[in-house]
Amino acid sequence: MSILPLAEFQKKFEKATQKKIQKIRKKGNHIIKNIVKILESLEEEAQDMIKKSREELKEGVEVLAKKKAGYLDAVRSLEKFGENIIAAIANVKVPSEINHESITEFYKNLTENLIMLEKTKNKLDHKIHPYFIILRTRVKGLIKKLKDESNTLKKFIETEYTDAESIEKVQNELNTVKMLLEKLNDTKNQIASLEHKISLKADELEKSRQKLVEMENRTEFQILTKTEKEIERLKTKILSILNSIRKPLKKFLNLVTSGDATLKLEEKDILAKYINDPFNTFINEDSDASKLKILLLKMDILVREEKLGLERRLTKKLQKVLGSIVNQEVLKKLSNEYFNLLKEREKLLQKEEIQKVISKRESIKEISETINRLKMDLKVAQDSLQEIKERIETTKSIIEETTQKITGMPLKLSLEL
């Protein structure tokens, strides 16, 4: 068993099959030359048909019509028959070189135009009959000869050319392997490049993160962090108070909807907002939260009238909360503190040191996104590499198996994947 690299395998295979494929192609070329000769002869006859028809038409349509029965129609049909033959022949594309694809396509093309010629003959021949017997006989004879030679070509393709087809298949597969190896090498280079870029970006990311930690440990940023935590604490406290009255507010809205309590349309809308989005509705109120207070005062009346259907324990708890909001203005105090902290945070954010931290965070985010994109590209390239390797292995097996059948030599391809 010989184990050969691609270039040597190709040379050895070509040497072993060259004579055989040349012999087969020589016969194929001979058949095609015969067909071309028939086509050329047929074209000459078609030209004679057209020439004869036009010579006859010079006598004039009226003269020809009186000359013999059906003669004018025969003359016109003769010209049309000739023109159709020339058109069909022009459509036949003779291959410049012989291979299975070109010879099969030539046969298909020839057959299609033969069918057209047969249809033309069947349609027009009886119109020309019994005139122009010699021309008609020669043309019909050439069409039959062309059909016979077409059948010879068909038989040649289906029997004798199968060996050449197998040889060509191996040659094509060898070229495919060559192309795949080039693609494999390009993909490996692409993977190496992506891995290098990811490594560089990962180093850059690590350094940026270390720098960010250093920047975040500075006094200005620590103050900002403390301020943001306090803002979040106040937001949570405000939301907790608002959530504590959310259930009673829903009961209030149900009473309004059923007609057991009344509210202006604007008040009803505010009530619905405090149920669905309590924090943002409160923050967007005026500083006294006057709309909320009006709603709570009206709800307090319903509580006292026991229209909300609350247990005594829950009623007392609710009244305590309502009193803290309306009378003690707990929410107002928290709101003022919240907005003061927001202003303080805004001032801090304008400082150069804080802006550097924000910029560094954005830079880290961009680097992380770039790394993720590169990793996705790497995954695609790695999948492509595996697919190429599998295609090479499959094609390699086909080449080795087909080569042994054709040449009887157990040749093996040596490929570095």
Side-chain angles (χ1 to χ4, degrees), residues 67 109 126 147-148 166 185 188 245 322 360 405:
K67 201 170 186 181
N109 177 238
H126 72 280
K147 193 173 181 180
D148 291 342
S166 297
N185 190 52
K188 283 180 178 178
I245 61 171
L322 295 178
K360 180 59 69 176
K405 285 181 181 177

Side-chain angles (χ1 to χ4, degrees), residues 379-391:
K379 177 69 168 61
V380 171
Q382 287 170 336
D383 290 345
S384 177
L385 184 72
Q386 185 58 34
E387 185 184 335
I388 293 167
K389 285 182 177 180
E390 288 172 3
R391 281 188 64 193

Side-chain angles (χ1 to χ4, degrees), residues 110-156:
L110 180 64
T111 303
E112 287 170 355
N113 286 286
L114 256 173
I115 290 168
M116 192 172 82
L117 284 174
E118 286 285 350
K119 285 181 179 178
T120 302
K121 184 188 76 173
N122 295 336
K123 183 179 178 182
L124 299 175
D125 187 59
H126 72 280
K127 292 183 179 181
I128 303 169
H129 181 79
Y131 308 111
F132 310 110
I133 296 171
I134 296 173
L135 271 175
R136 283 173 45 242
T137 302
R138 285 204 299 258
V139 166
K140 285 195 288 184
L142 285 169
I143 291 174
K144 184 181 182 305
K145 196 174 179 182
L146 184 63
K147 193 173 181 180
D148 291 342
E149 203 63 28
S150 173
N151 289 333
T152 301
L153 179 63
K154 180 176 183 288
K155 186 179 178 182
F156 170 75

Side-chain angles (χ1 to χ4, degrees), residues 48-83:
D48 286 345
M49 281 180 159
I50 295 167
K51 184 179 177 182
K52 182 66 177 174
S53 173
R54 289 175 182 173
E55 285 175 354
E56 291 293 314
L57 285 169
K58 284 179 183 177
E59 292 187 32
V61 173
E62 290 181 5
V63 173
L64 291 177
K66 294 175 182 178
K67 201 170 186 181
K68 297 172 187 175
Y71 191 68
L72 176 60
D73 194 25
V75 170
R76 285 173 170 167
S77 296
L78 186 69
E79 182 180 28
K80 192 172 183 181
F81 195 179
E83 288 172 346

